[in-house]
Amino acid sequence: MTKLTAIIPTGNEIHNIEAVVASVSFADEILIVDSFSTDGTYEKALELDVKVIRRDYEYSASQKNWAIPQAKHEWVLLVDADERVTPELKNEILDTLKNPKDHIVAYWIGRLNHFMGEPVHYSGWRNDSVIRLFKRDFCKYEDKHVHAEIIAQGHIGKLKNKLYHNTYITFDKYIEKMNRYATWQAKDYDTKTGRLTPYHFVVKPFWGFFKHYIVQSGFRDGVVGLTIGYIQGYVIFMRYVKVWLLRKNRQ
């Protein structure tokens, strides 16, 4: 059996740490990468049967690219604290690692997304997939502040089973998270956005809402879908407001 390291980045995840560690307990090594949590996450992690390291947080891709080379084993399963490996996915991962295919260096894994306590079937989240099972020495994240994905030096497969994903704690906490994302995105978009116009502040936010709620059938998710559509438009608007502030050194 090919051995596996599970990497879990954490930052104030006391409400998630025990459950996410339990969901990857089949891994040969569990590596917690904590960004100096202040809510007891670090202390709780030290009580578990895991390896714990710490690093100041810059942004997600930077944190993960620093952690990946520190995995003891060739194959890595990277799981965010708000995700869970289901029993079905666990079995598929173990079966995959029994006879790994030489030409495949990474695997896409779908996610079963939940928001405000409800499963999200549409709203642009239906086909959500991420590369989370990969060879340590052949993969790294692209250098983006938000929504970075793995760049793989080789072929990428896809697993059938999915991660359980629940990014929601409370509505206020989620809005705080989206504001952080808008701040980070502003740094990425500043270099590739020309002069800011009403197109950025009006058209693009409206299209973000319309795409998620109408084109991607968010209306079929009820209040949850309406909320997701609204937040998507809000984040796009705030992204360009923060680009404007960044350019005026008012961040």
Side-chain angles (χ1 to χ4, degrees):
M1 170 68 100
T2 301
K3 291 192 173 184
L4 175 70
T5 292
I7 296 178
I8 306 171
T10 60
N12 291 336
E13 296 286 354
I14 190 65
H15 55 291
N16 277 321
I17 185 65
E18 290 183 274
V20 67
V21 167
S23 81
V24 297
S25 60
F26 60 94
D28 301 282
E29 178 190 39
I30 300 175
L31 178 61
I32 303 290
V33 185
D34 185 66
S35 54
F36 289 92
S37 294
T38 58
D39 67 344
T41 299
Y42 174 70
E43 291 75 15
K44 175 59 69 175
L46 293 176
E47 298 174 7
L48 306 174
D49 186 22
V50 300
K51 179 180 177 182
V52 186
I53 55 179
R54 304 179 90 179
R55 178 181 186 252
D56 284 323
Y57 189 85
E58 295 179 303
Y59 50 96
S60 179
S62 170
Q63 196 80 342
K64 291 173 180 177
N65 282 336
W66 178 80
I68 289 168
Q70 301 192 55
K72 180 179 179 181
H73 303 299
E74 179 186 26
W75 278 93
V76 171
L77 174 66
L78 199 149
V79 181
D80 285 340
D82 59 6
E83 297 170 340
R84 307 288 182 265
V85 176
T86 64
E88 296 79 11
L89 179 58
K90 165 192 167 181
N91 292 334
E92 186 177 6
I93 290 171
L94 291 175
D95 287 342
T96 299
L97 295 181
K98 283 180 182 176
N99 296 292
K101 298 176 181 178
D102 291 338
H103 66 290
I104 294 181
V105 300
Y107 288 90
W108 289 98
I109 302 178
R111 294 198 292 186
L112 299 165
N113 290 297
H114 291 70
F115 184 62
M116 300 198 303
E118 301 289 336
V120 181
H121 300 292
Y122 301 96
S123 304
W125 293 5
R126 186 175 188 175
N127 298 314
D128 180 28
S129 292
V130 285
I131 298 173
R132 291 298 179 76
L133 180 65
F134 53 87
K135 281 188 172 182
R136 176 194 59 207
D137 301 329
F138 291 82
C139 297
K140 66 178 295 186
Y141 280 85
E142 57 187 326
D143 190 26
K144 288 174 57 179
H145 286 82
V146 180
H147 299 144
E149 190 50 88
I150 284 282
I151 300 171
Q153 300 176 36
H155 293 285
I156 305 173
K158 184 174 177 62
L159 301 184
K160 295 179 181 178
N161 291 287
K162 298 183 178 183
L163 286 163
Y164 176 94
H165 180 221
N166 184 17
T167 188
Y168 181 81
I169 306 172
T170 66
F171 190 76
D172 288 344
K173 290 290 185 183
Y174 192 78
I175 291 296
E176 287 178 20
K177 178 180 179 180
M178 292 300 99
N179 274 316
R180 290 197 302 272
Y181 275 23
T183 299
W184 296 333
Q185 283 183 326
K187 296 176 182 178
D188 291 328
Y189 277 77
D190 181 35
T191 57
K192 60 182 181 182
T193 302
R195 185 173 66 89
L196 294 170
T197 69
Y199 170 76
H200 299 94
F201 295 109
V202 179
V203 176
K204 286 181 74 70
F206 176 78
W207 170 246
F209 171 82
F210 186 83
K211 180 177 71 173
H212 284 269
Y213 191 63
I214 302 298
V215 177
Q216 297 175 324
S217 300
F219 61 88
R220 300 178 70 176
D221 284 319
V223 173
V224 169
L226 178 62
T227 306
I228 290 171
Y230 171 81
I231 291 173
Q232 292 300 322
Y234 169 79
V235 171
I236 293 170
F237 174 75
M238 289 307 300
R239 174 204 304 161
Y240 291 110
V241 168
K242 294 190 178 196
V243 169
W244 182 83
L245 289 169
L246 185 64
R247 291 178 178 180
K248 291 183 176 293
N249 295 315
R250 296 176 187 171
Q251 280 280 54

